[in-house]
């Protein structure tokens, strides 16, 4: 196939060629960056929280008035929940992964100020939490009943023992010997003096309550379990884990069971964990769907642009095509002509698109903390766009190839 | 003349229906997507209190210290605390340097209605000035006054939602409502209050709903009602409620109204002086940095509009550009495909201006149709967005962002027509430059 005649004829249709090329450039650059953002969101949404998501539900429970015996009430509720058929275990706590609200603290490895610190979410739990959350213990042990204390409203105290996540362990002790080591909640300069806690167990994964918010990204898997029965007077969160397939049934009866036990209470936000996850990544999901739609529309519009303009070129050149056919060009030659022409335009567009896409990606990498896309990724995108354009040009090219040679001899 | 152009344009549009439809579709899709995304952006970055946004200010005091701010993780690490300690809030309030001022925090209380199960609602403990400062719309009754603040009275202003829930179809002003087993006298009821963003307290997210009830700050402090919002401590607070009040933990939002530039300058000086004095008293060992932001600054400083939304907007504008480039190509094809017809008109005496007018009218019609299609697509896109953001239950503010108002409808159609006309400029110019003699001769 001769390229030079194609180029010469393109020069006569400069504006059209430039317009198509420009479209392809923008399309490739935008689509690649969108896909890369979508991939990041999907990857974020897919990260395991570390708990038995399929079988956990939770609700918030508050008391009317200021109860004088919060510990007895919570224990009574927990006993009732644990006795329900289909329940594996239940726990009263301040929060759970992806919940949104919770507390966090800076842990240090030395009792003096300005030592290596790591921010961690705090979960106040009892000896049942390992089973109630469905966590995976990778080293050490979980809390014994005798080491669980009480934490009341406005109390800030610290435990003698803690269990932390693998990720936090590695951050505090990069050498990998966190089990059995001390960490400090406070330093010597604080009112209470230095408070040391012994790491007795390591959990494989437990995301913080703040997963899903941009604020929580920096310490996503830094969680610390603290053996305190959480007894805030405004209310506690109950987390209940059921046997597979029993969640809906247990959720229906749990609320009535507790109201039956004591009527002067408030139960709110009774929700399966699947809802919590849905809620935590609402924005990401909406953005992903929107960007997917934008990509699909862009590719469609560009394909139709190619079809429209090529159709026009074919119509414009009907006589010349007829002439070429009369002079011995086969249908295949005509097809090839338009496909090669399109390849030249789209190829140039894609080359520029790769450059623009990478530039845009560099900018997004800073403003959105987006991972850089690889050359192979955008190269693959370019090939896809080229393929799409070739497919789009097929129909007009077939129309061109079907022009009869006799047309050359007829007046238009 | 214009009517004739219009008829010709319609005939022209019909002559190459496929190209016309493609062009309208390109413009429509571009406009539809762009306006869907921009509606959300405009909704999020709107000014929640236009006539006072440069008169309401948030003071900040660096009680955390540069070291703590650096070491505390997260992207907000380098910023000054967004809230005040109780002591500082009370001190600034007592100094009474603004025309109005309020200290406040979010609270949660259990409502125990006479019939039915108790339920929990979010409210705000604040000062009397709050309602005037933030232009809270009253449906019935009025705000409390300074006297109620001073006497720590059990008064409450209800939000529209709670009022309708507990007192359906009647005016609750004068009745009492039971919050956490205590009776409060209802002295006012607010109308539905949409505040987007929820600028006066961003700790619960920029797009939180306005509260269900408002009680005096002084009453809440005396009752030891804990905050339902965020608390930030850089060191361990002393035990108990009094310990929390004396601590260096920040959990109080503070706003001051300063109508004139002179007052702003004076308040800034006062704030600087106050912080310096606190430093001399030994409360902190670092240069006491302060800041004062008005509403507009505050929303930017607090990154209320997520970066994602800005990026989405850029992407959507990119899509619009592609669609318009597409439209330019298609119109170019259409007009030059009709060069014979246009040259014939020229040869028969139509001026260049007449041909130009015909093309412009044709382009405008395409733009208008594209705008209508875009409008339909925008409505559909926003419906999808609302469905995606819907959590069930009470209408969420984030869902409410995705609504089209008349202003946006007009803007959409105008943008479509202007954008299409811009993209039609070059094709039209080319069409009107046709040399009649040359064109006819070639044929």
């Amino acid at each position: 196939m001769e390229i030079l005649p194609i180029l010469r004829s393109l020069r006569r249709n400069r504006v059209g060629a430039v317009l198509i090329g420009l479209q392809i450039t923008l399309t490739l650059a935008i689509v690649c960056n969108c896909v890369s953002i979508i991939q990041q969101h999907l990857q974020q949404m897919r990260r395991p929280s570390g708990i038995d998501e399929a079988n956990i539900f939770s609700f918030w429970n508050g008391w009317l008035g200021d109860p004088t015996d919060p510990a007895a009430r919570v224990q009574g509720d927990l006993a009732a929940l644990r006795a329900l058929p289909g329940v594996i275990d239940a726990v009263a706590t301040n929060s759970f992964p992806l919940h949104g609200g919770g507390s966090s603290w800076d842990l240090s490895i030395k009792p003096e100020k300005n030592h290596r610190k790591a921010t961690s979410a705090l979960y106040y739990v009892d000896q049942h939490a390992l089973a109630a959350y469905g966590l995976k213990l990778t080293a050490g042990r979980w809390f014994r009943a005798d080491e669980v204390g009480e934490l009341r409203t406005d109390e800030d105290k610290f435990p003698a023992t803690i269990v932390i996540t693998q990720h936090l362990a590695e951050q505090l002790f990069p050498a990998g010997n966190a089990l059995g080591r001390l960490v400090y909640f406070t330093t010597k300069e604080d009112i209470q003096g230095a408070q040391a806690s012994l790491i007795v167990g390591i959990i494989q994964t437990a995301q913080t309550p703040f997963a899903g918010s941009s604020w929580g990204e920096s310490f996503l898997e830094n969680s610390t379990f603290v053996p305190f029965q959480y007894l805030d007077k405004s209310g506690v969160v109950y987390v209940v884990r059921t046997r597979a397939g029993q969640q809906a049934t247990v959720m229906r009866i749990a609320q009535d069971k507790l109201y039956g036990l004591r009527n002067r209470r408030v139960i709110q936000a009774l929700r399966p964990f699947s809802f919590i996850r849905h809620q935590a990544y609402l924005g990401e999901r909406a953005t992903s769907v929107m960007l997917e739609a934008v990509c699909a529309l862009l590719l469609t519009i560009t394909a139709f642009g190619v079809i429209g303009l090529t159709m026009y070129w074919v119509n414009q050149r009907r006589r010349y095509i007829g002439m070429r056919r009369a002079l011995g060009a086969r249908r295949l030659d005509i097809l090839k002509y338009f496909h090669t022409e399109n390849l030249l335009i789209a190829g140039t567009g894609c080359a520029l698109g790769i450059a623009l896409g990478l530039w845009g990606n560099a900018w997004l990498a800073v403003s959105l903390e987006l991972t850089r896309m690889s050359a192979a990724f955008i190269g693959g995108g370019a090939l896809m766009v080229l393929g799409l354009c070739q497919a789009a040009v097929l129909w007009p090219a077939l129309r061109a190839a079907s022009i009869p040679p006799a047309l050359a001899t007829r007046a238009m | 003349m214009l009517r004739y152009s219009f008829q010709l344009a319609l005939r022209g549009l019909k002559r190459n229906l496929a190209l016309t439809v493609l062009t309208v579709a390109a413009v429509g899709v571009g406009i539809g997507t762009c306006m869907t995304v921009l509606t959300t952006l405009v909704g999020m970055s709107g000014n929640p209190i236009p006539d006072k946004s440069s008169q309401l200010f948030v003071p900040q005091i660096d009680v955390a210290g540069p070291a703590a701010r650096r070491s505390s993780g997260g992207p907000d690490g380098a910023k000054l605390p967004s809230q005040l300690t109780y002591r500082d809030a009370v001190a600034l309030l007592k100094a009474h340097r603004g025309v109005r001022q309020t200290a406040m925090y979010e609270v949660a209380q259990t409502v125990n209605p006479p019939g039915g199960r108790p339920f929990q609602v979010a409210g705000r403990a604040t000062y009397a000035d709050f309602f005037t400062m933030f232009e809270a719309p009253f449906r019935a009754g009025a705000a409390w006054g300074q006297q109620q603040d001073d006497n720590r009275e059990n008064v409450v202003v209800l939000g529209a939602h709670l009022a309708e829930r507990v007192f359906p179809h009647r005016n609750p002003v004068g009745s009492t409502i039971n919050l956490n087993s205590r009776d409060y006298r209802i002295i006012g009821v607010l109308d539905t209050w949409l505040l987007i963003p929820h600028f006066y307290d961003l700790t619960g997210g920029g797009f939180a709903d306005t509260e269900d009830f408002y009680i005096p700050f002084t009453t809440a402090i005396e009752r030891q009602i804990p905050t339902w919002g965020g608390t930030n401590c850089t060191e361990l607070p002393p035990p108990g409620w009094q310990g929390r009040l004396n601590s260096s933990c920040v959990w109080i939002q503070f706003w001051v109204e300063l109508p004139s530039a002179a007052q702003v300058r004076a308040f800034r000086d006062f704030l600087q002086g106050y912080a310096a004095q606190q430093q001399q008293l030994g409360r902190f060992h670092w240069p006491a940095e302060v800041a004062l932001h008005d509403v507009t600054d505050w929303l930017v400083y607090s990154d209320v509009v997520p970066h994602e939304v800005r990026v989405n907007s850029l992407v959507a504008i990119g899509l619009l550009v592609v669609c318009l480039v597409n439209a330019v190509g298609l119109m170019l094809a259409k007009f030059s495909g009709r060069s014979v017809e246009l040259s014939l008109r020229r040869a028969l005496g139509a001026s260049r201006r007449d041909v130009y007018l015909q093309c412009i009218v044709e382009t405008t019609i395409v733009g208008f149709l594209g705008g209508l299609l875009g409008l339909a697509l925008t409505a559909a896109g926003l419906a999808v967005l609302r469905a995606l953001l819907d959590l069930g239950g009470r209408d969420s503010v984030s869902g409410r962002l995705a609504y089209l108002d008349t202003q946006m409808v007009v803007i959409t159609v105008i943008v479509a027509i202007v954008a299409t006309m811009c993209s039609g400029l070059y094709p039209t110019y080319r069409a009107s430059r046709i040399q009649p003699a040359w064109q006819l001769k070639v044929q």
Side-chain angles (χ1 to χ4, degrees), chain B residues 53-172:
Chain B
S53 57
S54 57
Q55 299 176 18
L56 298 173
F57 290 84
V58 186
Q60 289 178 284
I61 301 174
D62 185 15
V63 292
R69 282 193 280 129
R70 257 198 313 280
S71 79
S72 78
D76 293 342
K79 287 183 184 171
L80 297 184
S82 63
Q83 305 181 96
L84 293 185
T85 64
Y86 176 78
R87 318 161 47 168
D88 292 332
V90 168
L92 294 192
L93 201 81
K94 284 203 173 127
H96 216 278
R97 295 301 171 113
V99 175
R100 296 187 185 87
Q101 47 259 303
T102 183
M104 56 190 184
Y105 67 101
E106 197 187 352
V107 295
Q109 295 278 282
T110 304
V111 180
N112 198 3
R117 269 178 181 165
F119 57 92
Q120 167 123 358
V121 288
R124 176 157 300 274
T126 186
Y127 277 86
D129 281 351
F130 170 87
F131 302 94
T132 325
M133 278 175 84
F134 301 116
E135 298 176 341
F138 274 87
R139 172 185 295 172
W144 64 82
Q146 203 198 328
Q147 195 191 344
Q148 277 89 351
D149 275 333
D150 293 343
N151 298 341
R152 296 163 199 180
E153 281 183 32
N154 296 326
V155 289
V156 64
V157 169
L158 297 187
H161 188 255
L162 182 62
E164 274 149 33
R165 185 165 174 185
V166 183
F167 304 94
H169 318 301
R170 70 187 182 92
N171 182 0

Side-chain angles (χ1 to χ4, degrees), chain A residues 344-356:
Chain A
L344 286 176
I345 301 174
T348 317
C350 279
L352 292 173
I354 289 178
L356 183 66

Side-chain angles (χ1 to χ4, degrees), chain A residues 15 19 23 26 60 64-65 154 156 158 190-192 218 233 259 265-266 268 282 290 297-298 301 305 309 312, chain B residues 33 74 110 112 117-120 181 224 235-237 240 244 312 319 322 325-326 329 332-333 336 388 426:
Chain A
V15 180
L19 288 178
Q23 256 186 80
L26 287 173
W60 181 89
L64 283 188
D154 297 329
D156 286 291
F158 298 100
D190 277 305
I191 312 165
Q192 300 194 356
S218 60
K233 72 175 176 187
Y259 273 120
R265 70 163 86 222
V266 184
Q268 256 167 219
L282 207 61
M290 205 163 65
L297 289 174
L298 260 179
I301 286 285
L309 217 59
Y312 159 65
Chain B
T33 317
T110 304
N112 198 3
R117 269 178 181 165
F119 57 92
Q120 167 123 358
S181 311
Q224 306 193 358
E235 57 185 16
L236 199 63
R244 188 54 59 93
N312 291 351
L319 175 80
V322 170
V325 168
N326 203 317
L332 204 57
S336 35
L388 284 170
Y426 179 71

